[in-house]
Amino acid sequence: MAKQCQKGLIGPITTQNEKNVAEEIQHSRAILSNDAALTDIRISAETALAHAVVDKTHGFHLPALATLGLNNKPKARHIILRGFAPISRTLYFYTDSRSHKISEIGRTPDVNLTFYDPVRQVQLCISGRATVAKADVAQKAWGGLTPLGRRAYSAISGTGRPLAQPSSALPTHLEGRIPEADEVETGYANFTVLSITYDAFDWLALSREGNRRAQFSWQKADKNWAGGWFVP
Ligand SMILES: Cc1cc2nc3c(=O)[nH]c(=O)nc-3n(C[C@H](O)[C@H](O)[C@H](O)COP(=O)(O)O)c2cc1C
C-alpha cells in the first residue's frame, strides 16, 4: 500500500474514518504566525475538504482542475473529489488514463484546483503537483466503484477524441443500462487515480460585513504552514 494511504486518508480508497482525519487536521499543525484566526481558517479549509469527499452535496465535492494544455494554453474542467490525506496534503481523483489531462500532467505536473462552497460563500484555490497514483491505490479505488461507476472506463476511446456522430462512445451493449460487474471489468485498464499534493492555497470568504482573504504556503523545512492576510 502506498505510504500516503496508510494514515489519515478518507474516501473510498480507505477504511479510515472521518473522525480520525478531523483529529489529524486539528492537531497536526499550527500556523507559524501567532494569528489564531489564520490557524482556524487553515483547519476549516481542510476540514471542509474532508467533508466534501463523503458529502456529494458539499460545494467542494466538484472542483475545477486547471492544467497547462499541450498547446500551452490553460485548461480547466470539473472533476469529483474522491479522497483526502491531510497529513501528506494529498487530494485524490478518478479519471481515464487516456484523457488529455493525463498527458498534460505528464508534461506539466503543476496544477490548480478551484473549489466553491455556495452555502458558506467560500472559495478555495489550491496549487499543487499531480501524479498518477500507484497501482495498489487504483485497485482499491476500483473495488469501491459500482458497475455503473466503472462503466465510463469502457468507452471505446479516450475523452476528447473526435467522433463521426454524437455518442457516449460506450460499446452498444453497455449503452442505457446498468451493466453486470463482469461486463465492465476490462475498463480497469483505463482507470487511473490522480493524486494532487498541494503546497499552497488561497482562501476567500464573502460576507456582507466585509470579505476576507488569506493565503497559506507549506514550509517544507518547518513542516508547517505559513499564512497571511490579503486584499480580497
Ligand atoms: C459534474 C461532472 C463531474 C465530472 N467528474 C469527473 C471525474 O471525476 N473525473 C473525470 O476524469 N472527469 C470528470 N468529469 C468530466 C471532465 O469535466 C472532463 O470533461 C473530462 O475528464 C475530460 O477532460 P480532459 O479531456 O481535459 O482530460 C466530470 C464532469 C462533470 C460535468
Side-chain angles (χ1 to χ4, degrees), residues 137-214:
V137 179
Q139 212 168 20
K140 195 160 187 197
W142 182 256
L145 284 179
T146 62
L148 190 60
R150 293 177 179 183
R151 190 180 67 165
Y153 300 94
S154 293
I156 54 170
S157 64
T159 52
R161 303 303 185 282
L163 289 167
Q165 56 196 31
S167 162
S168 66
L170 288 172
T172 325
H173 72 283
L174 296 179
E175 189 87 51
R177 53 181 277 267
I178 296 174
E180 297 297 328
D182 61 341
E183 292 181 292
V184 287
E185 203 43 49
T186 54
Y188 181 60
N190 305 317
F191 177 70
T192 299
V193 176
L194 200 59
S195 71
I196 298 178
T197 300
Y198 58 91
D199 50 19
F201 66 92
D202 180 302
W203 172 94
L204 171 69
L206 305 181
S207 162
R208 284 186 182 190
E209 282 131 46
N211 301 336
R212 294 283 185 271
R213 185 172 178 190

Side-chain angles (χ1 to χ4, degrees), residues 62 75 77-80 94-96 99-101 159:
L62 189 68
K75 210 173 138 187
R77 79 289 276 160
H78 287 290
I79 189 163
I80 296 170
Y94 301 167
T95 195
D96 192 308
S99 67
H100 288 153
K101 66 181 86 53
T159 52

Side-chain angles (χ1 to χ4, degrees), residues 125-144:
C125 298
I126 287 182
S127 307
R129 282 174 76 80
T131 53
V132 168
K134 291 188 177 144
D136 56 348
V137 179
Q139 212 168 20
K140 195 160 187 197
W142 182 256

Side-chain angles (χ1 to χ4, degrees), residues 51-110:
H51 286 154
V53 172
V54 287
D55 178 2
K56 290 181 183 174
T57 68
H58 196 292
F60 285 3
H61 188 64
L62 189 68
L65 165 69
T67 51
L68 185 65
L70 296 179
N71 58 1
N72 286 328
K73 295 191 175 171
K75 210 173 138 187
R77 79 289 276 160
H78 287 290
I79 189 163
I80 296 170
L81 175 63
R82 301 286 193 159
F84 178 35
I87 296 264
S88 61
R89 310 180 316 285
T90 304
L91 299 164
Y92 294 86
F93 303 87
Y94 301 167
T95 195
D96 192 308
S97 58
R98 304 165 295 176
S99 67
H100 288 153
K101 66 181 86 53
I102 292 294
S103 320
E104 290 160 4
I105 284 160
R107 197 177 74 126
T108 311
D110 297 305

